[in-house]
Amino acid sequence: MLDHVQLAAPRNSEEQARAFYAGLLHMKEVDKPSGVKASGGVWFESHAALLHLGIEEPFHPATKAHPGLTFSHLDDLANRLQTDGYPVQFDDRLAPRRRLFTNDPFGNRIECIEQQIPVIVPKRLTNGSHVRLLAPASSLATVESNILDQAITVLESFGLRVSISQHARALNPFGSSDPACRLDDLHTAFADPSIDAILCVRGGFSSNELLDGLDYDLIRNNPKILCGFSDITALSQALLTQSGLVTYSGPMLRALASRDAYTLQSFVKFLFESGTTLIEPSVNWHDQHEGKNVTLSNPGPVVLSSGSATGRLLGGNLCTLNLLQGTSYFPDLRDSILFLEDDYEVHPATFARDFTSLMAQPGADQIRGIVFGRFQLATQMTDEHLRYLVSLYPALSSIPVISGADFGHTMPLFTFPIGGKVSMEDDMISIQH
């Protein structure tokens, strides 16, 4: 594993280096260890990249060898560089990934790469659109037949045509189907021009087994709606980071079969329409607890930290998202607004542990806002738990953080785009779709 990259600089150039790397590239200066301070130079870091500027005499700039640094907004960086007199040269040979080249004050070549490839928003559904039911996580064989029939009836009431993927009911010892079967179903659905959307039948387990085998070029060249939540979080984040496809966290078979008006209205609005939607809280919410169906009034979102923010919507199921840490599928957290939820298997301490792991990731210091979905009663999570958890991270006091939003493993739930744009103003959420 690479520890750092070193570039050379001439003697007494530290202030110029700070003006360029910290001032324009927004890298953070790192204190040099006492044992090497006397040699001069200056060290920087950004998003887990470590760059050391060392003094060299006689000095010779590196005009071919160069570091490649990632940035969340490449055009903003280009404007800063050009305004300060540093020419930039965009290069599209790695398309769809965007990058540019420039030189630092000493003539060293620097490559700047936009971390997220350009996003693709799939076409909306219309009357007559074809929806393929597919099981990227747990098998359709684990879903009751009456739930399937009721969900198909609901989808058909929207004017949709429904089909089921070839291997949806296949079953392996872990409750899913073999990864090759699920990959074949996904590739077949994306490649088929008659299919307009993929609706995941349920969450469960094992969608992260598919990520290394997916044909991301095929998916980028044939974008279409994919909707699901819970374990589907791993698939959604990988499709965003590797193909740029915006997917949707939304109802699967059981939620559709419930015929809940709030859930279905949001599903239709986000998958059939375009625009900006202000998310209104539901009147009541529902859970299954200790073998009983429980209905409670909804007090609405709780503000844990006030403020306003706009950013890219990331997240979903927290423990599933954390499975991607250390891989190329984990999203760039910079300038993001995180939507986070988990199911009945967590309790306050395990959720806090998972949240701590997320907040230790590169770019977490540049998260713009957080929305916690509603927790199931079995978790015994309270707003006091969440308020304490948020207080452990001083940086969160300056961004909006709310809890109790209508998504997660309770009902109802609203649909939202993973990779889309979202704005927060205290407890108000507006989502572009």
Side-chain angles (χ1 to χ4, degrees), residues 324-385:
L324 306 182
Q325 291 179 13
T327 74
S328 61
Y329 310 115
F330 191 79
D332 183 358
L333 298 178
R334 291 175 290 184
D335 299 320
S336 67
I337 292 180
L338 299 182
F339 280 41
L340 302 174
E341 56 87 13
D342 224 313
D343 66 9
Y344 70 95
E345 292 185 317
V346 304
H347 55 75
T350 56
F351 187 83
R353 179 176 62 182
D354 287 342
F355 187 72
T356 296
S357 180
L358 179 66
M359 295 302 293
Q361 298 309 300
D365 58 334
Q366 296 178 52
I367 292 169
R368 302 305 178 205
I370 299 176
V371 180
F372 293 111
R374 186 179 294 109
F375 288 85
Q376 292 181 270
L377 295 170
T379 67
Q380 300 185 38
M381 180 71 85
T382 67
D383 291 327
E384 288 71 27
H385 285 122

Side-chain angles (χ1 to χ4, degrees), residues 101-427:
F101 290 95
T102 190
N103 292 328
D104 74 2
F106 323 115
N108 292 311
R109 183 174 172 86
I110 307 293
E111 181 177 358
C112 304
I113 308 164
E114 192 155 54
Q115 177 68 14
Q116 174 61 50
I117 64 178
V119 299
I120 300 174
V121 178
K123 287 202 252 183
R124 299 293 182 270
L125 300 178
T126 61
N127 184 54
S129 290
H130 179 188
V131 173
R132 172 62 53 88
L133 301 183
L134 201 146
S138 293
S139 171
L140 179 58
T142 64
V143 178
E144 301 93 320
S145 60
N146 65 310
I147 295 295
L148 172 62
D149 293 341
Q150 292 168 23
I152 290 176
T153 298
V154 169
L155 293 170
E156 290 176 341
S157 74
F158 300 146
L160 300 172
R161 296 180 293 117
V162 181
S163 63
I164 299 174
S165 64
Q166 179 182 357
H167 305 292
R169 291 185 175 88
L171 198 61
N172 69 14
F174 300 126
S176 302
S177 64
D178 291 343
C181 293
R182 287 175 279 153
L183 287 168
D184 182 65
D185 281 355
L186 279 165
H187 291 152
T188 297
F190 274 106
D192 188 340
S194 76
I195 295 174
D196 302 295
I198 297 167
L199 179 61
C200 302
V201 299
R202 62 158 299 178
F205 301 95
S206 303
S207 64
N208 66 322
E209 293 176 342
L210 310 181
L211 307 186
D212 286 345
L214 284 168
D215 185 339
Y216 294 102
D217 288 335
L218 169 70
I219 293 166
R220 182 172 179 84
N221 292 328
N222 299 275
K224 55 193 65 179
I225 287 171
L226 182 140
C227 183
F229 73 103
S230 192
D231 193 71
I232 306 303
T233 297
L235 179 60
S236 290
Q237 298 297 336
L239 292 181
L240 177 65
T241 59
Q242 301 301 309
S243 72
L245 181 66
V246 171
T247 62
Y248 294 85
S249 176
M252 298 180 285
L253 295 186
R254 193 170 298 279
L256 290 170
S258 74
R259 296 178 181 269
D260 176 82
Y262 180 97
T263 299
L264 297 184
Q265 287 169 6
S266 179
F267 178 79
V268 169
K269 180 173 286 293
F270 277 84
L271 299 191
F272 284 75
E273 304 171 13
S274 60
T276 300
T277 295
L278 176 66
I279 302 299
E280 299 286 352
S282 63
V283 176
N284 299 304
W285 65 279
H286 318 284
D287 192 15
Q288 289 190 335
H289 184 54
E290 297 179 346
K292 298 178 181 179
N293 294 323
V294 180
T295 298
L296 297 169
S297 62
N298 183 14
V302 175
V303 176
L304 304 176
S305 176
S306 60
S308 62
T310 298
R312 185 160 50 95
L313 196 163
L314 299 176
N317 184 257
L318 175 58
C319 67
T320 304
L321 176 64
N322 280 354
L323 295 176
L324 306 182
Q325 291 179 13
T327 74
S328 61
Y329 310 115
F330 191 79
D332 183 358
L333 298 178
R334 291 175 290 184
D335 299 320
S336 67
I337 292 180
L338 299 182
F339 280 41
L340 302 174
E341 56 87 13
D342 224 313
D343 66 9
Y344 70 95
E345 292 185 317
V346 304
H347 55 75
T350 56
F351 187 83
R353 179 176 62 182
D354 287 342
F355 187 72
T356 296
S357 180
L358 179 66
M359 295 302 293
Q361 298 309 300
D365 58 334
Q366 296 178 52
I367 292 169
R368 302 305 178 205
I370 299 176
V371 180
F372 293 111
R374 186 179 294 109
F375 288 85
Q376 292 181 270
L377 295 170
T379 67
Q380 300 185 38
M381 180 71 85
T382 67
D383 291 327
E384 288 71 27
H385 285 122
L386 290 172
R387 198 178 301 278
Y388 174 74
L389 178 60
V390 169
S391 74
L392 299 178
Y393 303 90
L396 299 185
S397 65
S398 61
I399 65 173
V401 182
I402 65 175
S403 65
D406 285 302
F407 66 90
H409 285 72
T410 63
M411 288 289 291
L413 54 88
F414 61 81
T415 300
F416 55 86
I418 301 294
K421 292 183 179 179
V422 58
S423 297
M424 296 177 64
E425 182 74 39
D426 295 336
D427 63 349

